[in-house]
Structure formats: C-alpha cells, structure tokens
Amino acid sequence: MKLNRFWAVLAVVLLVGTSAFGQTTSALTGRVTMDGNPLPGVSVTVSSPQMQGTRTSVTDVNGNYNFTAIPPGQYTVRFEMESMQTVTRTSRVGLGQTGRADAEMRLTAVAEAITVTASAPAVLETQEIQTNVTEQLVEDLPIPRTFQSQANLAPNVTTNSPNGGQLVISGAPAHENLYMVNGAVINENLRSQIHNLFIEDAIQETTVLTGAISAEYGRFTGGVVNSITKSGGNEFSGSLRDSLTNDAWASKTPLPNAPDLLDKINAVYEGTLGGRIIRDRLWFFTAGRYTKADTQQFLFESPVPFTFGNKETRYEAKLTGQITPKHSLVVSYLNINNPQTNICFISCYEISNIDTSRELPNNFKTAHYSGIFTNNLLGEVNWSKKYFAFQDSGGNNHDFAHGTWAYDLNTGGFYGAPVFCGDCGSEQRNNKYWDAKLTYYLASKAVGTHNLNVGYQDWAEQRIANNYQSGSNFGMYTFGVQTPVAAPGDTFHPVITPGDFINWTPIFQLSNGSNFKTESLYANDKWDLNSRWSFNLGLRYDKNHGKDSAGVVRAKDSTIEPRMGATFDIFGNGRLRFNASYAKYAAKIAETVGGSASAAGNPAYFLYRYRGPAINAPGCTPGAALCGVDSPTAFQAVYDWFIGAGGTDGLSPVAGAIPGVGTRIDSSIKSPDVTEYTVGLGSQVGRGFVRLDLMSRKWGNFYATIQDMTTGQVTDQLGNVADIAEIVTTNNGLERTYRGGTIQASYPFSERLQIGGNYTYAKTRGNVTAETSGSGPVTETPYAYPEYKAFAQNNPVGYLPSDQRHKVRAWMTWGVPTPVGNFTFSALERFDSGTPYSAIIPLDTGELYNYIPAAAQNYYVGSPGTSVNYYVNGQRGNFRWDDINALDLSINYRLRLGRAELFVEPELINAFNQAAVTNGNTTVTQTGSFNPLAGDAPQYKFGSKFGQARSPSDYATMRTYRVSVGVRF
C-alpha cells in the first residue's frame, strides 16, 4: 500500500468514529440535572468491589460525565455539590457495555438526604443488539455453565452449524464469529471452533453482541462473544465444586433396540481462590479444573456404543494491580492439558476408524494496561498470545490395508483406518494479538458531548502442519450404500464396487508455517447531542497480509467498514428509545483458503477409478471370494488390483491437483463481508425492560473456485496434466442473507422473583453454505467444471442448514429463604423450531461425462471429483427435522455457615422427556440413468430410513439429571 494512501485513511479514521469500549473493560455514563436543566460542576465518584480504589469526575457544561476503562461489575455512584443534597445511585455495568446512572439534584433543605435508586438497563443504552449473561444468572438457571451455553441464551444465536454444532450468530457461517476470554481470541484457527480456555466457576460474565457492533471489534461477519474471568478483590473468596453427570441418568431415545446407557459417574472438580496481596493495589485470582470423563458415543447409523475418554486439566492465574492510582495492569495465564481416547473424526462405521488416542495442549497469556493521562485523556493497551497443537492425531499404520480410510458418498460415513496420520508430526495453530487505544472526552454547549476513541490493532495467526490425510497416504470414495454394524462384536463388511475411487494424497513439500495478519485502525465517536439525540459514528480500516506455508504472499487487500447508528429518546426521559444502525463487517482471511495454493504441507490428490472386482456386493454368495470380508481384506484386494493395473506410475488419474501447481491464487483474495441494517425500539418498564430489534444482512465476497476452459492446464512434476483451479472471491451467482426479528425482556418483580427471556424469528437463505461437516471455510464450486453443473438443481437458493425459524428462551427464578437454608427455584423453557435438510442425489461424474459438450470432453483431463449434487425438485432445505420443546428445572440450595456457604444444585433437563430427531438419514440414491443437463426427470429413490434417526446421537437431549455440590466462602 502506498504511504500517502495509508495516511489518507488514517486521517479519515481520526475524524470519524462508533462508540467502542474495552474488550476487557466497560464504561459508565450519565447526566445530572436540576429542575430539568443540565448541571455542570457536580463531583461524581464511582466505587465497586471489582475496582481498586475509587474514581472521580466532574460533570461538563452539558451536565454529562463519563468513566471509561472500568472493570465490569456493580457500581455505587455518588453525586456531590456544595449546597446540594448528595445523591447515590447504583448501576450494574456489563462487560463491554455502557451503564448509565442519572441524577436530579436539589438544594439542601434541613438536613442532607441520600437517595438510592437503580439505573436503567444497559441494554437500552446502545444501538448494539447485545445480551449480558451474569455469573448469578448462570448459577441459577439449569444450563451448562460453559461459554457456549451462555452465548446460546442470547437471541440471534443458534447451534445449527453444519460444522459440528458450532454457534451460528445472526446467520453467519460458524467460522466467522469472534470469541474472546480476558481479551484473548480463543477461536481455533481453521474451523474457528471455541476452545474451552476457561474454568466455569472463574467466569465473571459474558456479553454476546449480535448486531450493530462497535468498530473496536473486527475480523468477523457473525457476532462477538466476550467473557472475562474474576480478578480477586480486597476480601478473600473462593469455591470448591464437584459437578456430577452419568449417561445412565438420561432416558433412552425412542430408537428401536437402543442400547443400555453407560453407567458411570463422571466428576468435574473445580476450585477458585482470590483476594488481596496489597489492599486496593494488588489482587490475585487462581482457578483449577480437573475431569476424567467417559462419554458413550455410537457408531454411525448404529446402536453399537463406544466410549470416548477425555482427561483434562485446566488452571488459571491472574494478577490485577495499580502501578499508581492512575495506571493499572492486569495479566493472566490459562493452560489446558487434554489427552483423549477413542476419537471419531466425523461419522465412524466401525471401531477401526476411531483414533485410539491424541493430546491437545492449549494455553494463552494476556496483559491489559490502562492509564489516565489527563482528566480528559485515557489510554489502553491489550496483548495476548495463544498456543494450540494436535499431537498423535490419526492412524499409525502405513500399509494400504490397515492405514487407509474410505468415505461413503451416499451416507456420509467413514470406515477403515482413522482419518489423518498420528505419527507424522504434530500440528500447531497459534495466534498473537495486541492493540492500543486512546479515549478523549470533549464537551461543549454548541455540539454536545463527545467520547472519542482511536485505536490500532495487530492480529496474526500462524499454522505449521503437514496435513497427511491418512497413515497410508490413500483414501477411498465409494458409492455402495453401507450396512451399519448391528450389534457389538459384529464385523463391518464394506461395499466396494467398480467405479468407486481411490484417492492418493502425497505431500511433496513440507511446511514452513503460514502467517496471516490483519492490521486495523478504528475510531469512534459516541456523540450525545442533547437529551433526545445521540449518535455512534464510526469507521474501521482492516489491512490483510497473508503468507502461506511456503512463504508466498497470498492475501494483500484492505477494506473500510463504516459503523453508524442513531438513538432518539422519544420522551427525553430514557423510558422509550428508537434506534437505527448501518454497519459493515469483514472477516479475516481464512488460512485454509489463502493457503490452499501452497505446496508446502498440503496434500496433492489424485483420483483413480477402481475397476477391479466387486467386494461384498449385495446378493453375493456367502463364502465366495470377496464376499463377507472385513475392511483390511477388502482394501488389500483393492490395492492388489491397483498395483496390478500400474499403480500411481501406470494408471492415469481421472482428476487431481498438486498444490502450488494445479491451484492458483493470481490476485489477492479479499475478506468475506456482510452489510447490515437494524432498527429497534426499547422501553424501560418499571425496573425491567423490553426491547425489539429488526435486522437485515447480506453477505458478499464469497470464496470460490473457478476451474473451466479459460483457466488453463499445467503439467506437474509427475508428468500428469491438470486443469488449473483458480481461487477467487466473488459475488457472481452466489447468495447468503439473514432476516431476523428479536424481542428481549426482563422484569424483577422483587429481589426474589425475576423473569426474563427472548424470542427470535429468522430466515437464513441462499446457496452458500461456506462450511461442511468436519471442515472450516470452504470455497464454493459452481464454477469448477461448470459444464457438469449446468442445471438449475445443482446449487439452488433455499434454506441453509443453519436456518431456524423460531427460537425461545424464557426463564424464571424464585428465591425462598427458610430457617434451614435458602432455596432458588428456576425454570427454563427452550423452543427451537426444526432445522432444514435437503434431498440430494450424488450424481456420478463418470456418467455425467457422457452428457457434457464435446468441447469440454476433449479439453478437460479431470472432473469435479467423485460426484455432483442434484437437489431433488430443485429445492434446498425443503425438509425439516423435529422441533425441540423442552422445560428444564433446577433447585439450588444454599446454607450459610459463618463465612462459608454450602450449596447443592440438582438440575432436571427436558423434564417431560420430549423426543426430537435433530439429525438423521438423508440418503438418496440414483436408480437409473438420466441427463440433468437436458432437463430429464431424475431417476432416484429415497433410502428406506430417509428422515429417520440413525443412532441415539441423532436425538436432542432426552430427560436427564445432573448435580453440583460444593462450598463457597
């Protein structure tokens, strides 16, 4: 980028801004009036158990005050002025939120009066669509106390990603969300899975941002989930907890012949301890967690169980200190040791496909500095570094018979050896991040009050991996519909027929490590014009620079993201507010896409048609050759034919690509992005609130592969000619949209009885799924061998897998004190309408070859791979799994014994044991030849169990019990 362009963008950023608050801190603001007029010169002092010492400010000419970079927590706000009554307010400030505490001052009468009242909910203070989940709410409700479960309480959030049930926020692909703990990004690099870098009892609170999100946050198109852990305090406190679960405490699913559940109690031990080293100067906090859990899982489409073992140790250490009264520093460290046994990569037909053991070391370090330079100028610096690795992940056999896996294209199940190679070297996926921010407070009668922020961020993620796909460097893709194992001890008999594929995946160059970096500038102006109008005016500039595993620059683009919003206080008293916003968000460059043209560490692939004898063919005579044989025997027969036919030296592949040769990124790929519009209305109702928001989103810059007669061909080092695949970002013919409406409400009838909840109505439509089961970001392929896909049923617009029409989360908590202890009764109603799935015929590309134009037949040396999708009736997502409707209950018992408190927390999940199939068989097979390119009617049949559950894991959680016991002090 030219220097003058950089400074031009910086100048714009410094002049325009949206309100941004710290990723580990919060803000508190308010207005002081007298007889309805602004009152300058009032001394405002804030204090909190979460803050070291106190902070004091003075109201400006508009009667406003502002505290930024304060820790989240419960605050007491004291307003003082000579000849005026002192007023005290309380306000709870959530992580990343802006709390408000206003005051109306009066002249002193006979004696000083102190008025204590609660403030308006922070959720009404901003255009951001946000939900703050406190530690107390998580403690009271019958939900898992995990980061993910807390986020799923919020509207616009589901767990319907095709990539392993990850969080989907406001319709985005699951890998385009941002997850943070203590300012550290805890996303895994490739698939953006949430790494469990937290200890449940250590989480202080979580804020979920799903729309109108501040310019401080970037590298996402979905949403932000931001948590902070406890920091200790002036008083010593801690806890010990044992959380108990048992598979046998759950009811069986309605699946016929469902096996007995594993009867073993799994315990999760947690402990926390925090307090002072020096009062109001230096605090400490430590936490630990240990579990050794055995979880019952099932073979694919089978009731046969296996036991997944997960032994995990987590520990955290955190220090919070005041260097001087105006300068503070917080540092933290969290580490996980996590050996696992019996890991099924996606869907395992047989035990041999299960990886027996692996280890997943994981940790992060963070630091946060804040300093008050003048009364109007404050600075913050954040730093974090995360390490993660796969060790011994995959199979350790290297011969074809025992080191090869196969994937059935009709059913989506794996069999044979474990996926990947376990003894071919570990893989690392790391990230590092730092940012610096200045906040300036400016006020005048003419233009109101401005809270100006400007910041710089430096984000980088690294990956070093040699991605061996199997122990043998071979895999298979088969069309023969497999028969699942029916009972423990049965032998799996794979169906392999002529026309199936052998896939050779060698790595010709080892990885040097990739490094994808995003540098960002952002600015924000939270502008309170008067008592009715306030604005957020913001801009973010992201510059990408990505080097692949061979050190080649693959991404070098930039984007400008405006974030703008306005709020109108209809009555001027904070009771009813209308807001609207426009925003653009841009994701980071996906390393899996940006690095796909690198030869280093990436496997080539060569597809060969198997033309040998049928193995375990339907109707074969038991005892005959290759009838009733197991997987190693079947694979050995395939290998014998393959070698006899010439192997990799003599056979010509029907398709293939060598990274760095067959794949090309000629121009810098761009960040996927989304544009968003929101409007909303919020009202304070007594001590509660209700808020309605409408959202519209449209994505652009999709990753895509172009591979046609214009991209050319190349000869690799083996002498094979390949059709070149070009990786681009494009909007041509691709679509993804989200339309959503949400209602959030909460009302505390008293300190003992509170209700709350939210409702989401949404539609997620398009023809871009952007991810698959077991993968992170993938390229869209309608332009790869387009002659094979020139029919409307190949990639129609419809309902995407993450679409969910209705979502309800409604809860109630009721505290009942008694002479023998305190009880809290709580109920959580969950309703999730059924998610979509499609009827897809996997058309064999060998047959489609006969129908494509002669010019394409003569030109291409490869094909789109093994199969091409044909959506039955041209409809995407026209089938639905069951609705989930469940009531969860808990009774939390607490008994105070001096400074200590004993607690017992039993929970009943899905109290009425309502069954719901949330996944299942989607097999559709071709029964006869037809030409889709000519519009022929398809020849197909649904599988006999189409739309039915295949195993107990295809059901939502049945009725189950869990309990926690422990002590706090």
Side-chain angles (χ1 to χ4, degrees), residues 513-532:
S514 63
N515 186 39
F516 280 75
K517 183 175 181 178
T518 302
E519 292 180 279
S520 305
L521 294 168
Y522 64 89
N524 313 281
D525 181 10
K526 184 180 184 300
W527 175 21
D528 294 321
L529 178 61
N530 51 45
S531 63
R532 291 179 180 264

Side-chain angles (χ1 to χ4, degrees), residues 592-626:
T592 49
V593 177
S596 60
S598 171
N602 287 326
Y605 84 89
F606 301 94
L607 280 174
Y608 301 90
R609 280 278 183 181
Y610 173 66
R611 300 298 184 188
I615 303 172
N616 295 324
C620 68
T621 303
L626 300 180

Side-chain angles (χ1 to χ4, degrees), residues 561-583:
E561 305 157 46
R563 315 271 179 96
M564 299 178 291
T567 298
F568 179 64
D569 190 331
I570 295 173
F571 300 116
N573 59 7
R575 294 292 178 176
L576 185 63
R577 299 175 183 176
F578 173 82
N579 61 74
S581 75
Y582 165 79

Side-chain angles (χ1 to χ4, degrees), residues 791-821:
F791 51 93
Q793 298 87 351
N794 173 249
N795 194 37
V797 171
Y799 293 109
L800 297 175
S802 57
D803 176 69
Q804 181 175 312
R805 192 71 64 252
H806 307 280
K807 175 190 174 183
V808 175
R809 294 294 183 271
W811 57 83
M812 179 193 72
T813 62
W814 179 36
V816 181
T818 73
V820 294

Side-chain angles (χ1 to χ4, degrees), residues 410-485:
N410 284 293
T411 62
F414 283 86
Y415 55 94
V419 179
F420 305 124
C421 177
D423 57 1
C424 299
S426 63
E427 175 180 351
Q428 293 185 27
R429 303 176 184 178
N430 309 324
N431 71 56
K432 55 184 178 181
Y433 166 78
W434 74 272
D435 76 70
K437 180 177 73 171
L438 289 174
T439 300
Y440 185 71
Y441 189 73
L442 175 67
S444 73
K445 287 187 175 181
V447 295
T449 302
H450 297 262
N451 191 351
L452 300 168
N453 299 272
V454 62
Y456 169 80
Q457 295 177 346
D458 187 300
W459 158 265
E461 61 181 18
Q462 305 82 35
R463 177 181 177 233
I464 182 165
N466 295 303
N467 190 18
Y468 292 98
Q469 297 295 287
S470 68
S472 69
N473 277 347
F474 284 94
M476 288 197 69
Y477 295 98
T478 61
F479 288 94
V481 178
Q482 308 301 319
T483 302
V485 173

Side-chain angles (χ1 to χ4, degrees), residues 108-169:
T108 304
V110 178
E112 180 182 11
I114 299 178
T115 305
V116 181
T117 57
S119 61
V123 71
L124 301 180
E125 287 298 315
T126 177
Q127 295 90 30
E128 284 185 329
I129 304 174
Q130 57 178 238
T131 301
N132 182 257
V133 182
T134 65
E135 175 194 16
Q136 188 60 56
L137 183 63
V138 173
E139 196 68 41
D140 288 340
L141 293 183
I143 64 170
R145 295 175 301 115
T146 63
F147 188 88
Q148 298 94 320
S149 297
Q150 294 180 31
N152 199 27
L153 276 180
N156 287 319
V157 180
T158 74
T159 56
N160 300 330
S161 164
N163 185 6
Q166 295 184 62
L167 294 179
V168 174
I169 301 179

